[in-house]
Amino acid sequence: MASEDNFEAEDSGQETSSESGFIEETFESAKSEEPLVTSKKRKLAVSPSQKRKKKEKPPTVEELRNWKETENLYSSCLFRLQIEELVSELKIKNKRRRNLDAWLESFSAALKSLPEYSIPLSSIKAWNKRKMTSVDKFCSKLAEYPQLIQTDQDLLLRFTPPEVVEQFGLYAYNSLPGPELALNLNIVIPKDCFDVKDYLNNRYLFKRYYYLTYIAEHLKSGNIVKGVEVSFHECNSLLPVLQLKPNGCDKTLVTVYATPASDTFRAVRFLPEVNNVKQDVFGTGLGVEVLRSSATIFYNSALGYDVTLSVNTSFAKQILEEQSNVQEAVKLLCVWLRQHQFMEGVGSFTETLLVYFIVYLLVKKKINKFMSSYQVVRSFWSFIETSDLENNSLSLADVPTDTLDGFKKHFAVVCLDRTGTYNVAAFLNLELFKKVQAESRWALQCLNENKSNTFQYIFLVQRQFYLQYDLVIDLSESLPLQDRYQIEDARKAKYVGYQNLCLVEYVTETIKKAFGKRVLHLVPRLEVGKFNRATKFFYGINLNPEEAFGIITLGPALNDHVAATEFRKFWGDLASDRRFRDGSTNVAVYFKTNTVKARRNIIMRILDFVLGEKLDLKSRICYNKFDDVLVSKKLVPSYPSGTNEETCLKIIQASDELGKKLRALQMSLKVTGVQGVSDVFNYSELFPPIPANYEVSQSTTAVKGNNLVFSGKKPGSIPRYVQPVECVLQLEHSSKWPSTLQALRHVKTAFYLEISVSLQTSHGIISHATPDFLDVYFEGVVFRYRLFIPKELALVKKETTDTGLVCYKESQDSFEMETSLSILPRIAGALKGLQSMYPSWGPGTALVKRWLRSQLIDNFYFPDIVINLVSASLYLNNTFPSANTPQIAFLRFLKFFAEFDWNLQPVLVNFNDELSKEDITELETKLQENRTRFPLLYILTPFDEGCSVFTRDVPNKEILSRVKELARASLSFVTDIVMGQNHVGVKELFIPNFQGYNVVIHLEATANPRRYEQIVFAKAEDRIVVEKYQQVSNGKLPVVGFDPVEKYLETLRKCYGKFALFFHDSYGGNAVGVLWRPEAYETVDFKADRVAARMPAGGKIAFNVDAVIEDFYVLGKDLVRSIDKR
Amino acid sequence: MTAKVGASNDIHSFTVLPLRFSFSSTSCHYLFVKEHSLRVVEERKPPGKTLFVLNVPPYATETSLKSAFSKSGKVRYTILEDEEQSLKGSGFKRAFVVFDKREGLLNALKANALNPLSTDKDKIPLKIGLEKWVAEYNSSIFDPKELQDRVNNFMYNYDEAEERKKKSDKGDVADDEGWTVVTKKGRNPGIARKESVNVKLKAKDKLAAKKKQLKNFYRFQIRESKMENIAALRKSFEEAKNKINIMKKARKFKPY
């Protein structure tokens, strides 16, 4: 480091002329780490150019090495630092290691002093003699442990102190991710405890189990441990272990495992073909003949694991020794697996497997010592992703291919260990492995894209089970699984010792058969509790978006009689013979549907069939619980409709048709473009206006021109809300637009009038022109067209300075105009594209809106467009594999927002990847440098040049925090529902809570035009069916876009926004919650601009609450029913 | 000048007057009033007769305010203005009440009550709430003919004005003394007087100057470019580090 000091000494003065080769020198010297020869001359002259600029210090050796490493070994500087930070978080302190070592010593000492016993199995029972020998006492104590298995004879149990105690597992390889410590100990049972044929009929397992209890008993009497529990190794019911909480070590769990001494059994006894269970010791009810003749592959695997454990451990230890980067990578991968919950339950991706793969890669030289942890992790993923383990087998030993093939016949995945006799992946669930593969692929893809928050998504975000899948089936209620299916004896014999696994596989197969191509992943998850009893049983399903919602499940061709019969047998009444358009005849299952919602429901129908009829299992399914809140129940169209899709589609079709007509009109300037702006066009509008005819109603409306207006009488009930469908029109280019704003706007009006007249004369379509827009009534829907003339925008921005210089400046007006007429249509178009790629986006986003609005956060605080964009970002950034149902889209939105840190991360909505990587980095850097200058919720889109136009003023910090808090609470609520801890319905999430508000204003329901949008859970009794739209000659435009509640809120916010916040459920809410701002009650000095709504109070002025509350009445006359002051 | 007639509520030269919405109202807003006096005299706000009113509630109209103040004397007219502070106005307004006679004004300053804003006897009832919005909606419906006429009228006037302007602009004719005014019209109109044009020109100049320079010629240039490279690397490193620090503070690295 001597060179470093040198540089610093030099900094004071460097001469331009003499040190021309300075940098070259520093680079060289830095590499060779030689002190640089300094010359006194340099300090004399200081060149002026260097004085001007802030001088850069020459790089230090460390820096150079760092950069070089980052460049070669990591994807980016940020990623590297993040890895380092995470690893340091996972580090285990030396103090704790020392503690544990000390404990281990005392533990070994305790084991050495164990007494020896030799007792027959039959003597293990609760003795009740007056004079108890120590042996009797011991026996009665052992009898307290439940007998987990059975064996065929009265064994003689010999207990002698263990030969050796070895460490194994991640801690032993120095790759355990902290901060919790987990140490695995392997106690080697001396050979003389066993007989030659103990591998048969559970005898070994029995002795092993009692050997462990023998140790447990003696540990209990000492003061080494705080607690001893019997648990199971990797949820394997044949391999019990002891879990100890050592004294003097916090957050530490020691697992004690027992294996036979190395030469007790011959490893070949546990090859998969061999039979080791000759009697029905598991209560399978199978005949002895069947048992004797079949291979006991899983029983063998359990024993094989024990026999090979110490060989494999020492091999892994030797390979992983001194490989600090690889060890670090194992830690990272461990975190990754845990975040995805891949290590939980039966058949999971265990630590043993992880170590196996890493060792395999090291042995095969796919990774090496010089790779960084990042590269190792990457290699692991790419290996997992590309290796086709279904068909190819791996082996760490040199075994002939015959042996491998032999294993392959029995196991789905084969990963042979060092000895070549044990399959490490024996219990691995193939479906889970495929899911791990998919996640690896995704992680690699993320790394390749190298976005700024990749690291978080991969390592730091916890992915709960139910968020990973489109659909979760909870079969916990049918546990323990009953064997009431027709499973062949041979298959049962194969699973001897693991009947549960056999049933799980059967259920999985059946469900899979029913779904066919509709699913991508069908992952079982069986959790176990005490005594290895299954407590939770789930299936997670990822749907295949292309096939999932098909209305036909195609079976085999009719002339393939055998297959066709089998298909019919499986599907029962649902199957039918069908002839298709291309002339083929097949047996098939046809699901009749007429709405998108019903198509999504096909999945449920299949599940009902397969779980109910085929498997007879009780189940709870988390799939489309939330669809219900999207359905308009009080107001239904005459055509079949489910969620919003049908009506949206109708409107889009009408809009396209009308657009065509508009473009064909003969006018002085032709219409060249029609762009939809409303959310209707991208299906994220919760309640699109249902096409309808509108007539004069006696009590409220009258006719004025082409429109219905309110009659002079006081309106009793406000007609239902008719939302105008917003569109933007573009005209062909012309240079003849007038050059003053006022004139241009008049010409625009003239165009509206011209279009209006043309539509009337050539198509008989009625419309209503105003200076701002043109309303067209077509197919029962009101379309609102606005013209976008770029010159108008220029004129709004135009300013002339005193010197006569013309400049274009942004103003509030121009900003609003540009946003709504130029940027918004482009975003709407992009969202429409997104929706056609991911059909769940629209309804999913609508669900988010429904939720947020029902939490009384309305468009004023959190605009619809912002919800759209945030929701779009989740799809575009692939934070999860794409969601296929609205429900999962909604849940992931909640997840995102609950963990969202708006200060750190911008929301990237990169439509079609229009923003280049450089653009994004540049904007992110700018954001980080000067956070306060940008909006709190910063949304990056390709259309607004990094201005985040939609979030410039809202949402503010309070609202964002509130939404975050709400998202977190809602998510934990949903978690409980899905994971079966809570049995209330989801509706609670959508019921506004008015507690905690200072004032609640109750509104008159009849004056609320959106009263039909209220959430209803039961079947609505007074539902209104909108009659089918029919074109009539004297049709009229309805009262459009008239919502007094909105007007009321607008007025309240305008007048009292300084003093209070107003909360309201936009979808038909009949109450407004008012919250006084804390500063409202402050008494302030008199100033002319502060007097509003205040009253004099002793020389100062104070808030005039009573008058303001009365104002609420006055301003909302006929709308406000009562005001509740709290 | 101000009339401080012992009213205890007076504050900063303003007199405080309570204003009710109607006779049945239980609470009231407090208007802050004083005589309007500004150096610049506006015709609409005659000095001596104009009362300056602050804190006028949002639902008040010019007519209703007139009737409210008519208790003190005959009001000629009232002017309502938005409070200028915020861009969109806060809903509360300020008003100028112009009395017929000065006595009215003086009475108002001495008064301790006003008429309520809305009474049953009003000829034009104060429209509030639903009624107001309904009326607003009805008036937002345009008659196409009227609208067309309005547009036509405006455009006719506009075209004429344009025509006149064109005529006056035209002609690079010499004036009496033989000078010709050079306009932007003609064969060589010169560059447009626009900010964007200026910016473009400057950028062009800069580019041209840059082109002339040799970049990798002198040793110090090479050295500097290397240093810049290092600086950039350092900067990106620092940025990453900053980000990590923020994340660390937010306890982002606790995996579970």
Side-chain angles (χ1 to χ4, degrees):
Chain A
M1 288 297 108
S3 52
E4 244 184 275
D5 301 341
N6 254 324
F7 289 138
E8 278 177 20
E10 263 183 353
D11 284 342
S12 48
Q14 281 154 7
E15 196 186 14
T16 340
S17 56
S18 70
E19 47 106 88
S20 50
F22 174 71
I23 293 301
E24 281 82 355
E25 272 174 35
T26 54
F27 273 87
E28 272 164 26
S29 71
K31 275 171 199 156
S32 58
E33 299 205 19
E34 273 172 9
L36 193 81
V37 188
T38 48
S39 80
K40 293 267 173 192
K41 248 202 282 180
R42 286 186 189 150
K43 292 192 176 173
L44 300 176
V46 178
S47 83
S49 74
Q50 277 182 335
K51 237 187 175 178
R52 261 191 286 117
K53 268 190 193 169
K54 202 190 134 205
K55 245 183 305 158
E56 272 304 322
K57 276 186 191 170
T60 60
V61 188
E62 205 157 324
E63 267 180 312
L64 278 174
R65 202 171 47 212
N66 217 332
W67 291 335
K68 192 120 195 154
E69 263 178 29
T70 309
E71 196 180 316
N72 294 338
L73 304 176
Y74 294 87
S75 67
S76 74
C77 194
L78 184 66
F79 208 88
R80 178 182 186 165
L81 285 169
Q82 280 171 320
I83 288 183
E84 279 168 9
E85 206 52 54
L86 179 60
V87 169
S88 78
E89 196 72 43
L90 299 173
K91 212 179 159 199
I92 298 161
K93 279 181 194 152
N94 278 335
K95 189 181 147 204
R96 299 183 64 197
R97 278 181 193 278
R98 279 199 301 276
N99 260 350
L100 194 58
D101 285 346
W103 181 83
L104 263 179
E105 258 173 46
S106 60
F107 178 72
S108 310
L111 287 187
K112 277 201 184 108
S113 63
L114 283 175
E116 291 192 18
Y117 299 103
S118 184
I119 45 174
L121 182 58
S122 52
S123 66
I124 295 185
K125 56 186 174 190
W127 290 94
N128 204 358
K129 287 192 278 187
R130 190 165 303 159
K131 257 193 185 169
M132 293 241 275
T133 60
S134 67
V135 175
D136 290 339
K137 271 187 198 160
F138 177 62
C139 285
S140 357
K141 268 189 186 154
L142 286 198
E144 284 167 21
Y145 291 91
Q147 213 169 18
L148 299 167
I149 37 177
Q150 292 173 345
T151 183
D152 57 338
Q153 49 178 245
D154 189 10
L155 300 166
L156 182 67
L157 303 171
R158 279 187 293 265
F159 299 116
T160 50
E163 277 186 353
V164 210
V165 179
E166 300 173 331
Q167 293 185 18
F168 73 105
L170 292 180
Y171 185 79
Y173 312 135
N174 205 8
S175 2
L176 181 80
E180 255 103 88
L181 277 184
L183 172 67
N184 291 352
L185 290 179
N186 176 20
I187 289 180
V188 180
I189 311 171
K191 192 183 175 185
D192 56 357
C193 294
F194 297 106
D195 293 323
V196 187
K197 285 211 159 185
D198 272 355
Y199 48 79
L200 283 179
N201 301 345
N202 280 348
R203 290 178 210 161
Y204 160 72
L205 294 172
F206 229 85
K207 289 186 174 176
R208 180 181 175 280
Y209 174 54
Y210 278 110
Y211 194 85
L212 282 174
T213 56
Y214 153 70
I215 289 171
E217 261 326 298
H218 283 92
L219 287 177
K220 269 186 193 167
S221 55
N223 62 348
I224 309 175
V225 294
K226 274 182 273 185
V228 185
E229 256 179 66
V230 177
S231 174
F232 292 86
H233 175 69
E234 290 170 358
C235 301
N236 191 329
S237 54
L238 290 191
L239 299 176
V241 291
L242 294 180
Q243 284 191 334
L244 314 178
K245 282 184 187 142
N247 259 340
C249 309
D250 286 341
K251 285 188 194 165
T252 308
L253 193 68
V254 176
T255 309
V256 177
Y257 199 86
T259 60
S262 60
D263 51 347
T264 316
F265 303 116
R266 278 171 58 226
V268 283
R269 267 314 311 181
F270 309 114
L271 286 176
E273 294 87 12
V274 186
N275 174 285
N276 282 323
V277 180
K278 313 225 180 263
Q279 289 186 24
D280 189 8
V281 284
F282 290 107
T284 52
L286 293 170
V288 177
E289 279 312 303
V290 183
L291 278 175
R292 276 173 185 271
S293 61
S294 58
T296 50
I297 59 165
F298 289 103
Y299 176 89
N300 292 1
S301 297
L303 269 64
Y305 178 73
D306 277 16
V307 173
T308 56
L309 180 62
S310 71
V311 178
N312 284 326
T313 303
S314 63
F315 181 64
K317 230 182 212 167
Q318 175 208 332
I319 296 283
L320 288 172
E321 205 164 34
E322 311 256 309
Q323 305 262 16
S324 61
N325 286 344
V326 178
Q327 289 167 1
E328 199 174 292
V330 175
K331 286 183 196 171
L332 290 174
L333 284 170
C334 219
V335 169
W336 178 73
L337 287 169
R338 281 189 202 165
Q339 295 288 31
H340 285 79
Q341 307 190 327
F342 285 147
M343 284 181 155
E344 286 172 29
V346 177
S348 62
F349 198 97
T350 57
E351 288 169 11
T352 324
L353 256 178
L354 172 61
V355 172
Y356 177 85
F357 280 118
I358 293 292
V359 168
Y360 181 85
L361 288 175
L362 272 167
V363 168
K364 297 286 167 196
K365 306 236 166 9
K366 298 244 167 110
I367 50 179
N368 60 47
K369 204 174 174 172
F370 304 104
M371 284 180 156
S372 68
S373 55
Y374 165 78
Q375 282 169 315
V376 174
V377 168
R378 224 189 134 99
S379 316
F380 173 82
W381 281 332
S382 83
F383 175 73
I384 292 288
E385 190 219 323
T386 52
S387 62
D388 180 15
L389 288 188
E390 240 181 304
N391 299 313
N392 301 326
S393 305
L394 308 178
S395 172
L396 274 178
D398 275 334
V399 285
T401 41
D402 293 358
T403 323
L404 273 182
D405 290 344
F407 271 95
K408 191 67 219 169
K409 249 184 257 164
H410 292 99
F411 294 106
V413 181
V414 177
C415 300
L416 273 196
D417 71 336
R418 182 65 183 160
T419 63
T421 53
Y422 167 63
N423 177 14
V424 181
F427 292 95
L428 175 68
N429 190 300
L430 181 63
E431 295 297 327
L432 181 89
F433 181 73
K434 283 186 192 159
K435 180 75 183 166
V436 175
Q437 257 181 331
E439 285 300 322
S440 308
R441 193 172 309 133
W442 180 79
L444 270 183
Q445 193 193 324
C446 278
L447 289 184
N448 291 340
E449 282 170 16
N450 194 16
K451 285 174 189 153
S452 66
N453 36 17
T454 306
F455 186 82
Q456 280 183 52
Y457 287 143
I458 297 178
F459 291 107
L460 299 178
V461 176
Q462 198 184 10
R463 282 148 198 278
Q464 285 91 341
F465 185 72
Y466 69 96
L467 287 175
Q468 289 188 41
Y469 301 98
D470 292 316
L471 160 60
V472 174
I473 310 172
D474 179 3
L475 293 172
S476 307
E477 285 175 35
S478 353
L479 286 173
L481 289 175
Q482 304 288 332
D483 181 10
R484 49 192 159 198
Y485 314 118
Q486 287 151 356
I487 306 174
E488 305 107 60
D489 283 354
R491 191 160 160 185
K492 279 191 198 168
K494 179 179 159 189
Y495 282 95
V496 79
Y498 297 92
Q499 280 87 341
N500 242 352
L501 280 188
C502 180
L503 290 170
V504 168
E505 198 184 287
Y506 181 78
V507 171
T508 314
E509 252 172 36
T510 314
I511 298 177
K512 215 169 175 191
K513 199 167 166 190
F515 276 126
K517 283 183 197 156
R518 291 174 197 266
V519 302
L520 288 176
H521 299 287
L522 173 73
V523 184
R525 170 164 158 165
L526 188 64
E527 287 175 26
V528 290
K530 224 178 177 191
F531 304 129
N532 222 31
R533 235 170 254 140
T535 49
K536 289 269 162 74
F537 186 25
F538 297 106
Y539 274 100
I541 296 180
N542 279 124
L543 297 173
N544 176 2
E546 273 121 48
E547 306 272 352
F549 308 121
I551 48 172
I552 287 268
T553 297
L554 194 62
L558 280 183
N559 49 19
D560 183 357
H561 294 293
V562 185
T565 317
E566 204 208 348
F567 187 85
R568 275 191 212 110
K569 201 180 144 204
F570 183 82
W571 285 101
D573 294 345
L574 292 175
S576 56
D577 299 349
R578 293 188 171 263
R579 181 187 296 279
F580 292 92
R581 282 239 179 96
D582 59 353
S584 60
T585 47
N586 290 58
V587 55
V589 182
Y590 169 62
F591 297 97
K592 203 175 169 202
T593 56
N594 49 12
T595 62
V596 180
K597 181 173 180 262
R599 283 187 75 155
R600 280 198 291 268
N601 205 37
I602 288 176
I603 298 292
M604 281 303 277
R605 286 164 71 179
I606 295 175
L607 270 177
D608 281 347
F609 169 74
V610 72
L611 293 178
E613 286 189 31
K614 298 291 312 179
L615 294 168
D616 190 20
L617 292 171
K618 265 194 231 162
S619 61
R620 294 186 328 116
I621 294 161
C622 174
Y623 173 60
N624 52 5
K625 281 192 167 137
F626 292 95
D627 281 16
D628 210 29
V629 298
L630 287 178
V631 179
S632 165
K633 284 194 180 159
K634 285 190 176 174
L635 194 70
V636 289
S638 55
Y639 47 86
S641 85
T643 40
N644 61 1
E645 285 105 328
E646 284 73 33
T647 308
C648 282
L649 183 65
K650 271 210 171 329
I651 295 171
I652 291 173
Q653 281 166 348
S655 166
D656 288 348
E657 205 180 316
L658 185 57
K660 236 179 255 166
K661 288 187 170 136
L662 283 170
R663 279 198 291 268
L665 287 182
Q666 287 303 322
M667 297 199 308
S668 37
L669 283 180
K670 274 198 155 188
V671 175
T672 54
V674 182
Q675 288 171 304
V677 177
S678 277
D679 285 347
V680 173
F681 291 98
N682 52 44
Y683 294 84
S684 68
E685 175 65 49
L686 202 48
F687 297 106
I690 298 168
N693 291 92
Y694 300 93
E695 284 162 10
V696 182
S697 88
Q698 288 298 316
S699 58
T700 45
T701 49
V703 176
K704 180 176 173 188
N706 277 337
N707 293 65
L708 293 182
V709 294
F710 292 98
S711 55
K713 283 171 266 171
K714 199 166 140 190
S717 151
I718 299 296
R720 76 162 186 269
Y721 185 66
V722 180
Q723 185 196 41
V725 179
E726 300 266 352
C727 300
V728 169
L729 286 181
Q730 279 153 343
L731 296 178
E732 70 186 305
H733 184 75
S734 161
S735 57
K736 288 185 179 159
W737 289 96
S739 52
T740 66
L741 197 54
Q742 232 187 341
L744 189 139
R745 288 195 169 147
H746 276 90
V747 177
K748 242 172 103 177
T749 315
F751 265 104
Y752 290 137
L753 286 161
E754 191 181 349
I755 297 171
S756 173
V757 171
S758 305
L759 279 177
Q760 176 76 56
T761 51
S762 48
H763 299 290
I765 298 169
I766 56 163
S767 53
H768 168 229
T770 73
D772 293 327
F773 54 79
L774 172 71
D775 276 352
V776 181
Y777 181 60
F778 181 66
E779 295 285 329
V781 182
V782 179
F783 293 95
R784 180 161 288 181
Y785 291 103
R786 291 173 208 271
L787 274 172
F788 176 55
I789 319 281
K791 190 167 181 184
E792 188 183 3
L793 186 61
L795 286 178
V796 173
K797 285 186 184 174
K798 188 172 170 180
E799 271 176 36
T800 313
T801 58
D802 302 340
T803 55
L805 189 71
V806 177
C807 52
Y808 294 90
K809 280 203 177 131
E810 191 104 315
S811 65
Q812 185 64 25
D813 283 345
S814 76
F815 171 80
E816 270 165 20
M817 191 168 162
E818 190 167 11
T819 305
S820 63
L821 294 183
S822 166
I823 298 171
L824 193 60
R826 280 188 284 164
I827 287 196
L831 287 176
K832 197 177 170 185
L834 185 75
Q835 160 68 21
S836 60
M837 259 168 81
Y838 307 103
S840 67
W841 181 83
T845 309
L847 195 50
V848 175
K849 286 178 192 165
R850 178 62 135 181
W851 168 75
L852 199 60
R853 304 302 177 231
S854 71
Q855 304 298 333
L856 304 179
I857 293 185
D858 65 0
N859 200 42
F860 178 80
Y861 294 121
F862 207 113
D864 281 345
I865 179 75
V866 177
I867 298 179
N868 289 351
L869 287 173
V870 174
S871 168
S873 84
L874 296 186
Y875 278 79
L876 289 168
N877 293 341
N878 280 326
T879 42
F880 278 99
S882 64
N884 291 314
T885 64
Q887 168 167 329
I888 195 72
F890 168 60
L891 294 181
R892 286 179 189 167
F893 183 94
L894 291 185
K895 165 89 176 161
F896 169 77
F897 224 95
E899 286 167 2
F900 179 45
D901 192 340
W902 50 86
N903 270 329
L904 272 176
Q905 46 186 128
V907 176
L908 179 64
V909 193
N910 196 0
F911 290 115
N912 309 321
D913 288 324
E914 275 177 49
L915 285 171
S916 68
K917 223 179 233 178
E918 291 76 42
D919 293 342
I920 297 170
T921 337
E922 195 193 318
L923 286 168
E924 277 180 351
T925 321
K926 263 193 202 164
L927 178 73
Q928 209 194 325
E929 274 173 1
N930 212 336
R931 186 65 189 90
T932 45
R933 262 181 47 203
F934 290 92
L936 276 170
L937 178 64
Y938 184 56
I939 300 182
L940 261 171
T941 69
F943 305 122
D944 55 4
E945 287 148 6
C947 295
S948 188
V949 287
F950 299 106
T951 55
R952 206 174 66 157
D953 308 312
V954 283
N956 59 25
K957 198 174 159 196
E958 288 74 27
I959 294 297
L960 278 172
S961 312
R962 172 126 178 103
V963 173
K964 186 172 177 169
E965 212 39 61
L966 286 169
R968 193 176 299 157
S970 302
L971 196 65
S972 77
F973 184 77
V974 175
T975 312
D976 288 352
I977 292 179
V978 178
M979 298 317 261
Q981 278 132 13
N982 188 340
H983 292 277
V984 294
V986 295
K987 65 175 179 184
E988 314 285 326
L989 268 184
F990 298 91
I991 295 173
N993 179 357
F994 280 96
Q995 263 165 16
Y997 292 101
N998 299 113
V999 175
V1000 176
I1001 307 172
H1002 298 279
L1003 305 177
E1004 209 65 72
T1006 50
N1008 186 350
R1010 306 182 76 152
R1011 53 192 176 268
Y1012 302 104
E1013 297 173 5
Q1014 264 171 10
I1015 210 153
V1016 187
F1017 286 95
K1019 275 221 153 107
E1021 285 162 11
D1022 51 344
R1023 64 179 208 168
I1024 298 170
V1025 179
V1026 178
E1027 275 174 41
K1028 194 172 176 235
Y1029 168 75
Q1030 279 166 333
Q1031 199 168 2
V1032 285
S1033 54
N1034 59 347
K1036 295 282 174 247
L1037 277 153
V1039 172
V1040 60
F1042 179 72
D1043 184 358
V1045 181
E1046 198 188 306
K1047 295 255 181 210
Y1048 182 52
L1049 281 169
E1050 212 174 277
T1051 317
L1052 289 182
R1053 281 175 179 143
K1054 187 181 166 202
C1055 301
Y1056 309 102
K1058 270 197 281 184
F1059 303 104
L1061 296 167
F1062 300 90
F1063 296 90
H1064 173 244
D1065 178 6
S1066 321
Y1067 296 118
N1070 278 337
V1072 178
V1074 184
L1075 205 61
W1076 302 126
R1077 287 178 190 274
E1079 63 268 26
Y1081 275 104
E1082 283 166 20
T1083 310
V1084 292
D1085 288 332
F1086 182 90
K1087 251 190 184 175
D1089 57 343
R1090 282 190 193 151
V1091 291
R1094 289 202 162 100
M1095 58 184 178
K1100 291 186 171 184
I1101 45 175
F1103 185 43
N1104 191 354
V1105 188
D1106 295 333
V1108 167
I1109 290 178
E1110 196 177 320
D1111 286 358
F1112 292 169
Y1113 268 115
V1114 171
L1115 290 168
K1117 196 181 159 218
D1118 298 330
L1119 177 65
V1120 175
R1121 200 179 65 212
S1122 63
I1123 293 179
D1124 187 1
K1125 195 180 162 193
R1126 296 176 182 183
Chain B
M1 262 302 280
T2 44
K4 279 214 169 184
V5 215
S8 60
N9 276 340
D10 287 4
I11 188 164
H12 282 260
S13 79
F14 279 91
T15 310
V16 179
L17 287 176
L19 173 71
R20 284 172 199 281
F21 173 68
S22 63
F23 284 115
S24 57
S25 295
T26 50
S27 50
C28 50
H29 275 291
Y30 294 90
L31 301 184
F32 298 86
V33 302
K34 76 169 176 186
E35 191 179 339
H36 178 60
S37 61
L38 268 185
R39 217 172 296 157
V40 190
V41 178
E42 278 176 73
E43 208 179 306
R44 293 268 293 152
K45 301 166 189 169
K49 292 178 187 171
T50 308
L51 192 67
F52 178 51
V53 187
L54 279 174
N55 196 17
V56 180
Y59 36 79
T61 59
E62 297 192 345
T63 11
S64 64
L65 208 60
K66 189 172 168 181
S67 78
F69 274 95
S70 56
K71 195 172 183 182
S72 324
K74 199 176 174 203
V75 180
R76 201 181 293 166
Y77 52 81
T78 56
I79 303 168
L80 273 180
E81 282 178 8
D82 264 334
E83 299 223 10
E84 51 199 340
Q85 240 63 25
S86 56
L87 212 66
K88 285 180 183 166
S90 71
F92 280 85
K93 293 166 197 148
R94 53 186 195 181
F96 299 92
V97 180
V98 182
F99 287 94
D100 248 5
K101 291 173 189 151
R102 188 167 164 76
E103 281 80 59
L105 184 143
L106 292 176
N107 279 341
L109 286 173
K110 275 181 231 158
N112 45 19
L114 294 168
N115 284 339
L117 276 175
S118 167
T119 53
D120 304 334
K121 288 174 271 174
D122 288 346
K123 274 178 231 145
I124 313 160
L126 186 57
K127 273 193 179 150
I128 46 166
L130 207 52
E131 232 176 313
K132 183 182 163 207
W133 297 315
V134 163
E136 270 174 18
Y137 182 82
N138 281 357
S139 62
S140 76
I141 305 295
F142 287 84
D143 181 59
K145 242 183 217 140
E146 272 173 36
L147 196 60
Q148 187 72 54
D149 286 348
R150 222 163 81 186
V151 171
N152 287 350
N153 261 339
F154 181 89
M155 287 320 287
Y156 180 76
N157 292 339
Y158 173 77
D159 284 346
E160 267 191 351
E162 278 298 273
E163 202 66 21
R164 250 178 280 132
K165 215 162 128 197
K166 226 181 212 170
K167 261 183 199 156
S168 66
D169 272 357
K170 227 178 220 169
D172 300 342
V173 269
D175 63 3
D176 301 345
E177 291 176 33
W179 295 95
T180 309
V181 179
V182 181
T183 63
K184 276 201 269 182
K185 304 280 161 10
R187 261 194 313 176
N188 188 9
I191 47 166
R193 298 263 289 141
K194 278 193 204 165
E195 198 188 26
S196 57
V197 174
N198 278 5
V199 171
K200 264 184 208 158
L201 277 178
K202 270 180 197 161
K204 215 174 163 184
D205 281 353
K206 236 181 197 173
L207 206 72
K210 241 185 191 173
K211 267 187 186 167
K212 277 180 203 161
Q213 244 177 17
L214 284 170
K215 264 205 168 155
N216 286 324
F217 189 74
Y218 297 106
R219 270 184 176 163
F220 82 90
Q221 284 176 321
I222 295 167
R223 195 175 53 233
E224 261 172 22
S225 77
K226 272 187 180 167
M227 268 307 190
E228 262 163 34
N229 191 21
I230 286 171
L233 275 171
R234 232 178 229 160
K235 200 179 157 208
S236 83
F237 181 73
E238 283 306 315
E239 271 162 16
K241 224 171 179 176
N242 276 337
K243 198 160 184 187
I244 298 286
N245 279 336
I246 303 172
M247 283 177 77
K248 231 163 126 184
K249 263 183 210 152
R251 298 178 147 259
K252 283 271 167 189
F253 286 105
K254 286 246 186 285
Y256 14 74

